[in-house]
Structures are given as structure tokens and as C-alpha cells.
Amino acid sequence: MLPAAELVAPALLAGPGYRVEARAEVRGYQARFRLHTPWGELQAESVEMLAIRVGEMPALEALYSESVGETLRASGLEAVAAPVKAIANVASHPVQSVVGLPQGVLRYFGERLSKLGAQARKLGHRIDERISHEGSPYQEVDGPLAATRDPTPAEDRPWWDKPARELGRLIKNEAGYGKARREIAERLGVDPYTSNPLLKERLDALAWAASSGKLGINQALALATGGASEVLGYVQQVDRLVLTMAPEDVRARNEDQLARVCADEELRYAFLHKGTYTPTLQTALVDLLVGLRPAGGCEAFLETALMAASEVEARFVVNSLRLLDHYLRDEAHGGHFVPVGALPAYLTRGGEFVLPLPVDYLSWTPQIRQWFDRPGIGDRRYRTLLVSGRLSPRSERMLTRRGWSLVPHVRYAGAPPYVASPVSP
């Protein structure tokens, strides 16, 4: 446990409509924060996620205004019109209500990446994924998920609670739900694929209302007022194409880009169709990867990327590329990704071995000591460690003794707003 003020810029710890608890738990080398808002309790699994949640506060204030609540009630959406329902849900299940594993990114520091597991994914899982997309597990009478459908007769259920087949009739094309949701998110200045449970609920409600004709899109956009130009102050700017293109079009574009550096078609398919990476994170990863212009090792990197099982882990992989891009710049061109356990390292043409670690606080634990003493890591001649946050004093001493050049607190574009003062030992 560390004081939150020693990890993150004080300006993020309190503001209109929220406050952050004074102490944060560092678990899996990422800090976990708890936010209290008038609309419910939220958890942020890293300094980056805290900045994102704080950046979303003006959007929450707009979407939970009385005018939005009245409009949703008038549209027949009573279930999401009252903030108290959202508060009860999130406060009762704060951990389950966010995307992210409790252990942070600890899994990436395991002793080894199971090659057998990677091969199984390449030979079996990807084929299984393709098969699973041949039919709809929800719509088929004997589909594996059909049993989860509400047995209430369709005519007795509200319009928003009907199966996708019926809802599909309300959404004819890109003028429907997806486009409406992206337009509202753009007006609010937030990621349309946010994992914020309080924000997602209201975005969904307004988008369904607009796409079904219960609410005009102009009316929905007019309701989403305030804070649009300020919301993304600390977070990565959302790529314009993610705001304007349908997810399938974003995926097709990313496939074309990714094919420039990764020849393995099956690996590309697995990455682009894996649910962990939202279109926003997927696009960021692809653009960064292509921009590095590696001469080899892209397939090894995608195998590492496929390990991500949560948003926190997916962001860890994306931010690894941001660290490499910021530090190496043109020196990255022509290098190779080197799989070291489950972490993506990079070997430049000049022979520098660069290990990016986008973590909040790297403490010297038995696991870290064992990891850095492994063959293939500690015996590299020219080795550099990039850390987005801070290293504990003991970590600095131990790694310096082992011959590492340390570059902490890397200020890449959109980096998390870490505090400038030192952290306690």
C-alpha cells in the first residue's frame, strides 16, 4: 500500500464529481485506485486507467443529468434512467464491474511462456474460432448459448430486452446503433469502447433510443453536452477512424496494415478477432507495430499480444510499443522482436537489447530477481530497461549492479500522469 499522492499527479485525486481514496494498493506492479462518484464506485487498475476514468467524469456528469434521465424514462428505458440502479450494481460488485485482472500484469513476469500452449493456439484455437463464427450460438435453437435466453414471450418483453434477431430489425445499416453510439461518444469526447460500467450503460441507452427512432440522433447529441473538449486531457487521443468507422471496417483496415510486417495470416486473424483488444487498442497496436518497421519477430510479438486476457493486460502490450517507439525512434527500424518469457523485448540493428516495462511501480521481489537473472536476459551485452513509472530504490540498485541501463519515467506521448516527486522505498 502506498499513498496515492506518491504515485499520481495530485490534480487527479479529487475534482468535480469524484474523489480518489488516499491509499492505493500496488499489485502486479500496477497501482489499484478506488474512485467514489455520485453515480457509483469505480476501480482503476493502473495509473493510466485512473487518468482515463477521471477524463470520463464530465461525460458521466452529462449523461446522468436530470434531462437525460427524463428523456430515457420518456423513451421507456426506466431500467437505466435512475443512477441508483447503477450505483447498486457497481458498489455491490466493484471488482466484477471493471475489466481487468486483480493481479495486474503479474502473469507477464512468469518464468516462461509455454511453447506448447502457443502452438496449440496456432494449430487449434484459431481454427476453433473460425468454426465458432460460422453460426450464431445465440440464435440457433440448439446453440450453446440458447439456453441463456429469457423464456418470457417476446411480446411481453420491452423492446431493448429482445434477442439480437429482433433488435436487428431496428437497425438497418450504419445509421443504427453502432454509428449513434460512436457519434454520442465523440460528442462527449470519450472512447466509444470504454469499459467504464457507469458510462457504458448510458451510452448504450441513448444509442438504442436514437437507432430505434424513439429519440432523434440530433436530440441524443444535444443531450450529450459539456466537457467534450476537455475530457481527453490525460489519456490517449482516440483515433479518428475508430470514431467514424464500423468495427468490421476498422478490423479490415488493420488487417491490411498488419500484413505489411506480419506474414502469418493465421496469427493476424487470431489477433484481429480476439475480443480482448477493442477497436481502439487494436488500431493503436497495429499503427505502432507498423511504425517500428521491424525486420523480424512480429509473429513472436503477436503471440505475446494474444496472451492478454483483460484490458489492463492489453494496454500493457500496447504501451510496450509506445515505450519502444518513444525511446528508439528511427533506431527501431530493421530490428527484431525477441520473445523473452512472456515479455516482448527488442533487439536493434546496433545490438542494443531493449526491454519495455509499462508498469506503475517496479519493486524488487523474488519473482523479479529470478526473472532478470534468467539466461538470455542478464547475459546480454548492451541492455536497456524502459519503465513508464518508477522503480523502487532497491530495484534501481539491483538492476544497476547487473549491468542494466535504466530509463525510468519515460514520457511518451499520452503517458500516464505520474507524480514528479520520488516514491517511498
PDB file of all heavy atoms in Angstrom, residues 30 43 45-46 48-49 52-53 56 98-101 104-105 191 193-197 200 275-278 280-281 308-319:
ATOM      1  N   GLN A  30       1.229  -2.782 -10.832  1.00  0.00           N
ATOM      2  CA  GLN A  30       0.335  -1.694 -11.210  1.00  0.00           C
ATOM      3  C   GLN A  30      -0.424  -1.260  -9.957  1.00  0.00           C
ATOM      4  O   GLN A  30      -0.711  -2.071  -9.078  1.00  0.00           O
ATOM      5  CB  GLN A  30      -0.670  -2.138 -12.286  1.00  0.00           C
ATOM      6  CG  GLN A  30      -0.041  -2.707 -13.563  1.00  0.00           C
ATOM      7  CD  GLN A  30       0.573  -1.647 -14.459  1.00  0.00           C
ATOM      8  OE1 GLN A  30       1.271  -0.758 -13.983  1.00  0.00           O
ATOM      9  NE2 GLN A  30       0.350  -1.769 -15.748  1.00  0.00           N
ATOM     10  N   GLN A  43     -13.281   1.263  -9.857  1.00  0.00           N
ATOM     11  CA  GLN A  43     -11.903   0.920  -9.583  1.00  0.00           C
ATOM     12  C   GLN A  43     -11.084   1.136 -10.845  1.00  0.00           C
ATOM     13  O   GLN A  43     -11.561   0.915 -11.956  1.00  0.00           O
ATOM     14  CB  GLN A  43     -11.765  -0.529  -9.108  1.00  0.00           C
ATOM     15  CG  GLN A  43     -12.261  -0.744  -7.688  1.00  0.00           C
ATOM     16  CD  GLN A  43     -11.838  -2.086  -7.127  1.00  0.00           C
ATOM     17  OE1 GLN A  43     -10.989  -2.757  -7.686  1.00  0.00           O
ATOM     18  NE2 GLN A  43     -12.436  -2.475  -6.019  1.00  0.00           N
ATOM     19  N   GLU A  45      -7.340   0.027 -12.408  1.00  0.00           N
ATOM     20  CA  GLU A  45      -6.297  -0.964 -12.169  1.00  0.00           C
ATOM     21  C   GLU A  45      -4.895  -0.482 -12.503  1.00  0.00           C
ATOM     22  O   GLU A  45      -3.957  -1.277 -12.516  1.00  0.00           O
ATOM     23  CB  GLU A  45      -6.610  -2.228 -12.980  1.00  0.00           C
ATOM     24  CG  GLU A  45      -7.921  -2.896 -12.641  1.00  0.00           C
ATOM     25  CD  GLU A  45      -7.905  -3.576 -11.287  1.00  0.00           C
ATOM     26  OE1 GLU A  45      -6.798  -3.882 -10.798  1.00  0.00           O
ATOM     27  OE2 GLU A  45      -8.980  -3.793 -10.714  1.00  0.00           O
ATOM     28  N   SER A  46      -4.717   0.785 -12.807  1.00  0.00           N
ATOM     29  CA  SER A  46      -3.395   1.342 -13.081  1.00  0.00           C
ATOM     30  C   SER A  46      -3.518   2.857 -13.081  1.00  0.00           C
ATOM     31  O   SER A  46      -4.629   3.412 -13.080  1.00  0.00           O
ATOM     32  CB  SER A  46      -2.862   0.861 -14.436  1.00  0.00           C
ATOM     33  OG  SER A  46      -3.666   1.363 -15.491  1.00  0.00           O
ATOM     34  N   GLU A  48      -2.740   4.699 -15.567  1.00  0.00           N
ATOM     35  CA  GLU A  48      -3.356   5.024 -16.855  1.00  0.00           C
ATOM     36  C   GLU A  48      -4.868   4.909 -16.789  1.00  0.00           C
ATOM     37  O   GLU A  48      -5.588   5.795 -17.265  1.00  0.00           O
ATOM     38  CB  GLU A  48      -2.819   4.092 -17.946  1.00  0.00           C
ATOM     39  CG  GLU A  48      -3.437   4.379 -19.308  1.00  0.00           C
ATOM     40  CD  GLU A  48      -2.991   3.401 -20.371  1.00  0.00           C
ATOM     41  OE1 GLU A  48      -2.700   2.237 -20.035  1.00  0.00           O
ATOM     42  OE2 GLU A  48      -2.951   3.796 -21.546  1.00  0.00           O
ATOM     43  N   MET A  49      -5.377   3.814 -16.182  1.00  0.00           N
ATOM     44  CA  MET A  49      -6.821   3.645 -16.081  1.00  0.00           C
ATOM     45  C   MET A  49      -7.441   4.703 -15.183  1.00  0.00           C
ATOM     46  O   MET A  49      -8.565   5.145 -15.415  1.00  0.00           O
ATOM     47  CB  MET A  49      -7.160   2.249 -15.560  1.00  0.00           C
ATOM     48  CG  MET A  49      -6.858   1.109 -16.530  1.00  0.00           C
ATOM     49  SD  MET A  49      -7.626   1.322 -18.160  1.00  0.00           S
ATOM     50  CE  MET A  49      -9.356   1.452 -17.732  1.00  0.00           C
ATOM     51  N   ILE A  52      -7.876   7.734 -17.289  1.00  0.00           N
ATOM     52  CA  ILE A  52      -8.995   7.548 -18.208  1.00  0.00           C
ATOM     53  C   ILE A  52     -10.318   7.760 -17.482  1.00  0.00           C
ATOM     54  O   ILE A  52     -11.220   8.452 -17.978  1.00  0.00           O
ATOM     55  CB  ILE A  52      -8.937   6.151 -18.848  1.00  0.00           C
ATOM     56  CG1 ILE A  52      -7.742   6.064 -19.805  1.00  0.00           C
ATOM     57  CG2 ILE A  52     -10.233   5.831 -19.591  1.00  0.00           C
ATOM     58  CD1 ILE A  52      -7.483   4.670 -20.331  1.00  0.00           C
ATOM     59  N   ARG A  53     -10.453   7.173 -16.308  1.00  0.00           N
ATOM     60  CA  ARG A  53     -11.701   7.322 -15.548  1.00  0.00           C
ATOM     61  C   ARG A  53     -11.937   8.779 -15.157  1.00  0.00           C
ATOM     62  O   ARG A  53     -13.066   9.279 -15.219  1.00  0.00           O
ATOM     63  CB  ARG A  53     -11.668   6.426 -14.300  1.00  0.00           C
ATOM     64  CG  ARG A  53     -11.681   4.941 -14.615  1.00  0.00           C
ATOM     65  CD  ARG A  53     -12.995   4.518 -15.232  1.00  0.00           C
ATOM     66  NE  ARG A  53     -12.959   3.137 -15.676  1.00  0.00           N
ATOM     67  CZ  ARG A  53     -12.823   2.761 -16.949  1.00  0.00           C
ATOM     68  NH1 ARG A  53     -12.727   3.689 -17.908  1.00  0.00           N
ATOM     69  NH2 ARG A  53     -12.791   1.497 -17.279  1.00  0.00           N
ATOM     70  N   GLU A  56     -13.215  10.737 -17.960  1.00  0.00           N
ATOM     71  CA  GLU A  56     -14.597  10.441 -18.318  1.00  0.00           C
ATOM     72  C   GLU A  56     -15.618  11.111 -17.398  1.00  0.00           C
ATOM     73  O   GLU A  56     -16.817  11.026 -17.645  1.00  0.00           O
ATOM     74  CB  GLU A  56     -14.820   8.922 -18.308  1.00  0.00           C
ATOM     75  CG  GLU A  56     -14.080   8.180 -19.409  1.00  0.00           C
ATOM     76  CD  GLU A  56     -14.099   6.677 -19.220  1.00  0.00           C
ATOM     77  OE1 GLU A  56     -14.252   6.224 -18.056  1.00  0.00           O
ATOM     78  OE2 GLU A  56     -13.933   5.955 -20.213  1.00  0.00           O
ATOM     79  N   VAL A  98     -15.487  -4.035 -13.433  1.00  0.00           N
ATOM     80  CA  VAL A  98     -14.459  -3.440 -14.272  1.00  0.00           C
ATOM     81  C   VAL A  98     -13.746  -4.531 -15.035  1.00  0.00           C
ATOM     82  O   VAL A  98     -13.740  -5.696 -14.649  1.00  0.00           O
ATOM     83  CB  VAL A  98     -13.422  -2.652 -13.434  1.00  0.00           C
ATOM     84  CG1 VAL A  98     -14.079  -1.513 -12.707  1.00  0.00           C
ATOM     85  CG2 VAL A  98     -12.701  -3.557 -12.453  1.00  0.00           C
ATOM     86  N   VAL A  99     -13.152  -4.131 -16.159  1.00  0.00           N
ATOM     87  CA  VAL A  99     -12.385  -5.079 -16.947  1.00  0.00           C
ATOM     88  C   VAL A  99     -10.955  -5.012 -16.471  1.00  0.00           C
ATOM     89  O   VAL A  99     -10.334  -3.966 -16.507  1.00  0.00           O
ATOM     90  CB  VAL A  99     -12.458  -4.724 -18.446  1.00  0.00           C
ATOM     91  CG1 VAL A  99     -11.605  -5.677 -19.264  1.00  0.00           C
ATOM     92  CG2 VAL A  99     -13.894  -4.767 -18.915  1.00  0.00           C
ATOM     93  N   GLY A 100     -10.380  -6.127 -16.015  1.00  0.00           N
ATOM     94  CA  GLY A 100      -9.013  -6.133 -15.524  1.00  0.00           C
ATOM     95  C   GLY A 100      -8.841  -7.198 -14.463  1.00  0.00           C
ATOM     96  O   GLY A 100      -9.688  -7.377 -13.614  1.00  0.00           O
ATOM     97  N   LEU A 101      -7.735  -7.905 -14.527  1.00  0.00           N
ATOM     98  CA  LEU A 101      -7.475  -8.944 -13.552  1.00  0.00           C
ATOM     99  C   LEU A 101      -6.951  -8.331 -12.257  1.00  0.00           C
ATOM    100  O   LEU A 101      -6.193  -7.362 -12.289  1.00  0.00           O
ATOM    101  CB  LEU A 101      -6.443  -9.936 -14.108  1.00  0.00           C
ATOM    102  CG  LEU A 101      -6.904 -10.748 -15.316  1.00  0.00           C
ATOM    103  CD1 LEU A 101      -5.785 -11.683 -15.752  1.00  0.00           C
ATOM    104  CD2 LEU A 101      -8.140 -11.566 -14.971  1.00  0.00           C
ATOM    105  N   GLY A 104      -3.109  -7.479 -11.829  1.00  0.00           N
ATOM    106  CA  GLY A 104      -2.426  -6.538 -12.700  1.00  0.00           C
ATOM    107  C   GLY A 104      -1.829  -7.244 -13.905  1.00  0.00           C
ATOM    108  O   GLY A 104      -2.510  -7.965 -14.608  1.00  0.00           O
ATOM    109  N   VAL A 105      -0.523  -7.042 -14.129  1.00  0.00           N
ATOM    110  CA  VAL A 105       0.147  -7.685 -15.265  1.00  0.00           C
ATOM    111  C   VAL A 105       1.152  -8.717 -14.768  1.00  0.00           C
ATOM    112  O   VAL A 105       2.139  -9.020 -15.433  1.00  0.00           O
ATOM    113  CB  VAL A 105       0.845  -6.623 -16.149  1.00  0.00           C
ATOM    114  CG1 VAL A 105      -0.181  -5.710 -16.783  1.00  0.00           C
ATOM    115  CG2 VAL A 105       1.858  -5.819 -15.353  1.00  0.00           C
ATOM    116  N   ASP A 191     -13.915   7.440 -25.429  1.00  0.00           N
ATOM    117  CA  ASP A 191     -13.746   6.263 -26.271  1.00  0.00           C
ATOM    118  C   ASP A 191     -15.089   5.545 -26.382  1.00  0.00           C
ATOM    119  O   ASP A 191     -15.683   5.171 -25.372  1.00  0.00           O
ATOM    120  CB  ASP A 191     -12.701   5.335 -25.639  1.00  0.00           C
ATOM    121  CG  ASP A 191     -12.330   4.151 -26.513  1.00  0.00           C
ATOM    122  OD1 ASP A 191     -13.054   3.869 -27.486  1.00  0.00           O
ATOM    123  OD2 ASP A 191     -11.321   3.504 -26.200  1.00  0.00           O
ATOM    124  N   TYR A 193     -15.619   2.624 -26.992  1.00  0.00           N
ATOM    125  CA  TYR A 193     -15.463   1.256 -26.499  1.00  0.00           C
ATOM    126  C   TYR A 193     -14.965   1.234 -25.055  1.00  0.00           C
ATOM    127  O   TYR A 193     -14.315   0.287 -24.619  1.00  0.00           O
ATOM    128  CB  TYR A 193     -14.505   0.482 -27.414  1.00  0.00           C
ATOM    129  CG  TYR A 193     -14.955   0.512 -28.851  1.00  0.00           C
ATOM    130  CD1 TYR A 193     -14.365   1.380 -29.770  1.00  0.00           C
ATOM    131  CD2 TYR A 193     -16.009  -0.291 -29.291  1.00  0.00           C
ATOM    132  CE1 TYR A 193     -14.800   1.434 -31.085  1.00  0.00           C
ATOM    133  CE2 TYR A 193     -16.454  -0.242 -30.606  1.00  0.00           C
ATOM    134  CZ  TYR A 193     -15.841   0.623 -31.498  1.00  0.00           C
ATOM    135  OH  TYR A 193     -16.286   0.679 -32.804  1.00  0.00           O
ATOM    136  N   THR A 194     -15.287   2.277 -24.311  1.00  0.00           N
ATOM    137  CA  THR A 194     -14.872   2.358 -22.912  1.00  0.00           C
ATOM    138  C   THR A 194     -15.384   1.165 -22.110  1.00  0.00           C
ATOM    139  O   THR A 194     -16.451   0.620 -22.391  1.00  0.00           O
ATOM    140  CB  THR A 194     -15.387   3.658 -22.272  1.00  0.00           C
ATOM    141  OG1 THR A 194     -15.020   3.690 -20.883  1.00  0.00           O
ATOM    142  CG2 THR A 194     -16.908   3.761 -22.368  1.00  0.00           C
ATOM    143  N   SER A 195     -14.621   0.790 -21.084  1.00  0.00           N
ATOM    144  CA  SER A 195     -15.043  -0.294 -20.193  1.00  0.00           C
ATOM    145  C   SER A 195     -15.671   0.238 -18.913  1.00  0.00           C
ATOM    146  O   SER A 195     -16.001  -0.542 -18.015  1.00  0.00           O
ATOM    147  CB  SER A 195     -13.832  -1.173 -19.837  1.00  0.00           C
ATOM    148  OG  SER A 195     -12.821  -0.403 -19.197  1.00  0.00           O
ATOM    149  N   ASN A 196     -15.839   1.539 -18.806  1.00  0.00           N
ATOM    150  CA  ASN A 196     -16.460   2.148 -17.622  1.00  0.00           C
ATOM    151  C   ASN A 196     -17.912   1.671 -17.529  1.00  0.00           C
ATOM    152  O   ASN A 196     -18.730   2.022 -18.373  1.00  0.00           O
ATOM    153  CB  ASN A 196     -16.407   3.668 -17.743  1.00  0.00           C
ATOM    154  CG  ASN A 196     -16.909   4.372 -16.504  1.00  0.00           C
ATOM    155  OD1 ASN A 196     -17.780   3.887 -15.796  1.00  0.00           O
ATOM    156  ND2 ASN A 196     -16.356   5.556 -16.238  1.00  0.00           N
ATOM    157  N   PRO A 197     -18.270   0.888 -16.507  1.00  0.00           N
ATOM    158  CA  PRO A 197     -19.625   0.326 -16.447  1.00  0.00           C
ATOM    159  C   PRO A 197     -20.711   1.389 -16.321  1.00  0.00           C
ATOM    160  O   PRO A 197     -21.811   1.230 -16.855  1.00  0.00           O
ATOM    161  CB  PRO A 197     -19.588  -0.591 -15.214  1.00  0.00           C
ATOM    162  CG  PRO A 197     -18.471  -0.064 -14.377  1.00  0.00           C
ATOM    163  CD  PRO A 197     -17.453   0.458 -15.349  1.00  0.00           C
ATOM    164  N   LYS A 200     -20.841   3.088 -19.919  1.00  0.00           N
ATOM    165  CA  LYS A 200     -21.341   2.172 -20.954  1.00  0.00           C
ATOM    166  C   LYS A 200     -22.865   2.073 -20.922  1.00  0.00           C
ATOM    167  O   LYS A 200     -23.523   2.047 -21.957  1.00  0.00           O
ATOM    168  CB  LYS A 200     -20.739   0.778 -20.767  1.00  0.00           C
ATOM    169  CG  LYS A 200     -19.293   0.649 -21.200  1.00  0.00           C
ATOM    170  CD  LYS A 200     -18.716  -0.688 -20.795  1.00  0.00           C
ATOM    171  CE  LYS A 200     -19.474  -1.837 -21.431  1.00  0.00           C
ATOM    172  NZ  LYS A 200     -18.857  -3.148 -21.073  1.00  0.00           N
ATOM    173  N   GLY A 275     -11.343 -10.874 -28.635  1.00  0.00           N
ATOM    174  CA  GLY A 275     -12.152  -9.843 -28.012  1.00  0.00           C
ATOM    175  C   GLY A 275     -11.439  -8.946 -27.022  1.00  0.00           C
ATOM    176  O   GLY A 275     -11.957  -7.896 -26.679  1.00  0.00           O
ATOM    177  N   THR A 276     -10.251  -9.328 -26.556  1.00  0.00           N
ATOM    178  CA  THR A 276      -9.577  -8.528 -25.534  1.00  0.00           C
ATOM    179  C   THR A 276      -9.250  -7.129 -26.030  1.00  0.00           C
ATOM    180  O   THR A 276      -9.343  -6.157 -25.284  1.00  0.00           O
ATOM    181  CB  THR A 276      -8.289  -9.239 -25.080  1.00  0.00           C
ATOM    182  OG1 THR A 276      -8.626 -10.513 -24.557  1.00  0.00           O
ATOM    183  CG2 THR A 276      -7.575  -8.430 -24.014  1.00  0.00           C
ATOM    184  N   TYR A 277      -8.860  -7.004 -27.283  1.00  0.00           N
ATOM    185  CA  TYR A 277      -8.464  -5.713 -27.828  1.00  0.00           C
ATOM    186  C   TYR A 277      -9.664  -5.029 -28.470  1.00  0.00           C
ATOM    187  O   TYR A 277     -10.211  -5.517 -29.458  1.00  0.00           O
ATOM    188  CB  TYR A 277      -7.349  -5.883 -28.863  1.00  0.00           C
ATOM    189  CG  TYR A 277      -6.036  -6.327 -28.266  1.00  0.00           C
ATOM    190  CD1 TYR A 277      -5.785  -7.673 -28.019  1.00  0.00           C
ATOM    191  CD2 TYR A 277      -5.047  -5.402 -27.922  1.00  0.00           C
ATOM    192  CE1 TYR A 277      -4.587  -8.083 -27.455  1.00  0.00           C
ATOM    193  CE2 TYR A 277      -3.848  -5.808 -27.354  1.00  0.00           C
ATOM    194  CZ  TYR A 277      -3.623  -7.150 -27.120  1.00  0.00           C
ATOM    195  OH  TYR A 277      -2.437  -7.551 -26.559  1.00  0.00           O
ATOM    196  N   THR A 278     -10.063  -3.922 -27.913  1.00  0.00           N
ATOM    197  CA  THR A 278     -11.131  -3.135 -28.525  1.00  0.00           C
ATOM    198  C   THR A 278     -10.608  -2.566 -29.841  1.00  0.00           C
ATOM    199  O   THR A 278      -9.392  -2.539 -30.079  1.00  0.00           O
ATOM    200  CB  THR A 278     -11.544  -1.980 -27.608  1.00  0.00           C
ATOM    201  OG1 THR A 278     -10.431  -1.065 -27.482  1.00  0.00           O
ATOM    202  CG2 THR A 278     -11.951  -2.487 -26.234  1.00  0.00           C
ATOM    203  N   THR A 280     -10.193   0.386 -30.540  1.00  0.00           N
ATOM    204  CA  THR A 280      -9.285   1.471 -30.182  1.00  0.00           C
ATOM    205  C   THR A 280      -7.889   0.942 -29.890  1.00  0.00           C
ATOM    206  O   THR A 280      -6.893   1.434 -30.430  1.00  0.00           O
ATOM    207  CB  THR A 280      -9.820   2.224 -28.952  1.00  0.00           C
ATOM    208  OG1 THR A 280     -11.146   2.677 -29.216  1.00  0.00           O
ATOM    209  CG2 THR A 280      -8.930   3.409 -28.608  1.00  0.00           C
ATOM    210  N   LEU A 281      -7.789  -0.072 -29.030  1.00  0.00           N
ATOM    211  CA  LEU A 281      -6.488  -0.631 -28.671  1.00  0.00           C
ATOM    212  C   LEU A 281      -5.880  -1.397 -29.841  1.00  0.00           C
ATOM    213  O   LEU A 281      -4.668  -1.362 -30.046  1.00  0.00           O
ATOM    214  CB  LEU A 281      -6.635  -1.546 -27.454  1.00  0.00           C
ATOM    215  CG  LEU A 281      -6.983  -0.853 -26.139  1.00  0.00           C
ATOM    216  CD1 LEU A 281      -7.192  -1.874 -25.029  1.00  0.00           C
ATOM    217  CD2 LEU A 281      -5.894   0.143 -25.745  1.00  0.00           C
ATOM    218  N   ALA A 308      -2.896 -11.532 -23.678  1.00  0.00           N
ATOM    219  CA  ALA A 308      -3.671 -10.560 -22.906  1.00  0.00           C
ATOM    220  C   ALA A 308      -5.084 -11.075 -22.680  1.00  0.00           C
ATOM    221  O   ALA A 308      -5.781 -11.445 -23.622  1.00  0.00           O
ATOM    222  CB  ALA A 308      -3.708  -9.219 -23.619  1.00  0.00           C
ATOM    223  N   ALA A 309      -5.498 -11.097 -21.419  1.00  0.00           N
ATOM    224  CA  ALA A 309      -6.824 -11.605 -21.067  1.00  0.00           C
ATOM    225  C   ALA A 309      -7.688 -10.526 -20.430  1.00  0.00           C
ATOM    226  O   ALA A 309      -8.748 -10.823 -19.900  1.00  0.00           O
ATOM    227  CB  ALA A 309      -6.688 -12.801 -20.119  1.00  0.00           C
ATOM    228  N   SER A 310      -7.243  -9.280 -20.464  1.00  0.00           N
ATOM    229  CA  SER A 310      -8.001  -8.190 -19.856  1.00  0.00           C
ATOM    230  C   SER A 310      -7.565  -6.889 -20.496  1.00  0.00           C
ATOM    231  O   SER A 310      -6.554  -6.821 -21.210  1.00  0.00           O
ATOM    232  CB  SER A 310      -7.746  -8.128 -18.346  1.00  0.00           C
ATOM    233  OG  SER A 310      -6.420  -7.701 -18.094  1.00  0.00           O
ATOM    234  N   GLU A 311      -8.326  -5.832 -20.230  1.00  0.00           N
ATOM    235  CA  GLU A 311      -7.957  -4.528 -20.763  1.00  0.00           C
ATOM    236  C   GLU A 311      -6.627  -4.063 -20.208  1.00  0.00           C
ATOM    237  O   GLU A 311      -5.805  -3.491 -20.927  1.00  0.00           O
ATOM    238  CB  GLU A 311      -9.043  -3.499 -20.451  1.00  0.00           C
ATOM    239  CG  GLU A 311      -8.716  -2.119 -21.003  1.00  0.00           C
ATOM    240  CD  GLU A 311      -9.762  -1.070 -20.674  1.00  0.00           C
ATOM    241  OE1 GLU A 311     -10.701  -1.385 -19.918  1.00  0.00           O
ATOM    242  OE2 GLU A 311      -9.638   0.058 -21.180  1.00  0.00           O
ATOM    243  N   VAL A 312      -6.387  -4.293 -18.917  1.00  0.00           N
ATOM    244  CA  VAL A 312      -5.130  -3.875 -18.310  1.00  0.00           C
ATOM    245  C   VAL A 312      -3.958  -4.552 -19.001  1.00  0.00           C
ATOM    246  O   VAL A 312      -2.933  -3.919 -19.293  1.00  0.00           O
ATOM    247  CB  VAL A 312      -5.135  -4.181 -16.798  1.00  0.00           C
ATOM    248  CG1 VAL A 312      -3.766  -3.931 -16.194  1.00  0.00           C
ATOM    249  CG2 VAL A 312      -6.175  -3.331 -16.088  1.00  0.00           C
ATOM    250  N   GLU A 313      -4.091  -5.840 -19.282  1.00  0.00           N
ATOM    251  CA  GLU A 313      -3.008  -6.565 -19.943  1.00  0.00           C
ATOM    252  C   GLU A 313      -2.857  -6.123 -21.396  1.00  0.00           C
ATOM    253  O   GLU A 313      -1.735  -6.024 -21.909  1.00  0.00           O
ATOM    254  CB  GLU A 313      -3.260  -8.068 -19.853  1.00  0.00           C
ATOM    255  CG  GLU A 313      -3.167  -8.588 -18.430  1.00  0.00           C
ATOM    256  CD  GLU A 313      -3.359 -10.096 -18.347  1.00  0.00           C
ATOM    257  OE1 GLU A 313      -3.520 -10.738 -19.409  1.00  0.00           O
ATOM    258  OE2 GLU A 313      -3.335 -10.624 -17.227  1.00  0.00           O
ATOM    259  N   ALA A 314      -3.963  -5.863 -22.080  1.00  0.00           N
ATOM    260  CA  ALA A 314      -3.887  -5.384 -23.465  1.00  0.00           C
ATOM    261  C   ALA A 314      -3.188  -4.027 -23.518  1.00  0.00           C
ATOM    262  O   ALA A 314      -2.356  -3.774 -24.402  1.00  0.00           O
ATOM    263  CB  ALA A 314      -5.285  -5.297 -24.066  1.00  0.00           C
ATOM    264  N   ARG A 315      -3.507  -3.157 -22.581  1.00  0.00           N
ATOM    265  CA  ARG A 315      -2.847  -1.854 -22.543  1.00  0.00           C
ATOM    266  C   ARG A 315      -1.365  -1.998 -22.214  1.00  0.00           C
ATOM    267  O   ARG A 315      -0.532  -1.205 -22.684  1.00  0.00           O
ATOM    268  CB  ARG A 315      -3.533  -0.942 -21.521  1.00  0.00           C
ATOM    269  CG  ARG A 315      -4.906  -0.473 -21.972  1.00  0.00           C
ATOM    270  CD  ARG A 315      -5.541   0.500 -21.003  1.00  0.00           C
ATOM    271  NE  ARG A 315      -6.823   0.964 -21.499  1.00  0.00           N
ATOM    272  CZ  ARG A 315      -6.983   1.945 -22.387  1.00  0.00           C
ATOM    273  NH1 ARG A 315      -5.909   2.591 -22.843  1.00  0.00           N
ATOM    274  NH2 ARG A 315      -8.179   2.294 -22.800  1.00  0.00           N
ATOM    275  N   PHE A 316      -1.014  -2.978 -21.408  1.00  0.00           N
ATOM    276  CA  PHE A 316       0.392  -3.254 -21.103  1.00  0.00           C
ATOM    277  C   PHE A 316       1.160  -3.554 -22.390  1.00  0.00           C
ATOM    278  O   PHE A 316       2.267  -3.054 -22.608  1.00  0.00           O
ATOM    279  CB  PHE A 316       0.472  -4.430 -20.128  1.00  0.00           C
ATOM    280  CG  PHE A 316       1.874  -4.877 -19.801  1.00  0.00           C
ATOM    281  CD1 PHE A 316       2.620  -4.215 -18.839  1.00  0.00           C
ATOM    282  CD2 PHE A 316       2.449  -5.964 -20.443  1.00  0.00           C
ATOM    283  CE1 PHE A 316       3.919  -4.629 -18.533  1.00  0.00           C
ATOM    284  CE2 PHE A 316       3.730  -6.385 -20.153  1.00  0.00           C
ATOM    285  CZ  PHE A 316       4.469  -5.712 -19.191  1.00  0.00           C
ATOM    286  N   VAL A 317       0.576  -4.371 -23.265  1.00  0.00           N
ATOM    287  CA  VAL A 317       1.225  -4.720 -24.527  1.00  0.00           C
ATOM    288  C   VAL A 317       1.328  -3.495 -25.441  1.00  0.00           C
ATOM    289  O   VAL A 317       2.381  -3.224 -26.019  1.00  0.00           O
ATOM    290  CB  VAL A 317       0.460  -5.859 -25.227  1.00  0.00           C
ATOM    291  CG1 VAL A 317       1.084  -6.171 -26.589  1.00  0.00           C
ATOM    292  CG2 VAL A 317       0.456  -7.120 -24.363  1.00  0.00           C
ATOM    293  N   VAL A 318       0.239  -2.752 -25.571  1.00  0.00           N
ATOM    294  CA  VAL A 318       0.250  -1.559 -26.423  1.00  0.00           C
ATOM    295  C   VAL A 318       1.264  -0.538 -25.914  1.00  0.00           C
ATOM    296  O   VAL A 318       2.033   0.045 -26.694  1.00  0.00           O
ATOM    297  CB  VAL A 318      -1.155  -0.931 -26.496  1.00  0.00           C
ATOM    298  CG1 VAL A 318      -1.109   0.413 -27.227  1.00  0.00           C
ATOM    299  CG2 VAL A 318      -2.128  -1.869 -27.188  1.00  0.00           C
ATOM    300  N   ASN A 319       1.306  -0.330 -24.612  1.00  0.00           N
ATOM    301  CA  ASN A 319       2.229   0.655 -24.053  1.00  0.00           C
ATOM    302  C   ASN A 319       3.682   0.201 -24.140  1.00  0.00           C
ATOM    303  O   ASN A 319       4.587   1.038 -24.124  1.00  0.00           O
ATOM    304  CB  ASN A 319       1.848   0.970 -22.612  1.00  0.00           C
ATOM    305  CG  ASN A 319       0.568   1.775 -22.511  1.00  0.00           C
ATOM    306  OD1 ASN A 319       0.185   2.466 -23.455  1.00  0.00           O
ATOM    307  ND2 ASN A 319      -0.118   1.686 -21.381  1.00  0.00           N
TER     308      ASN A 319
END
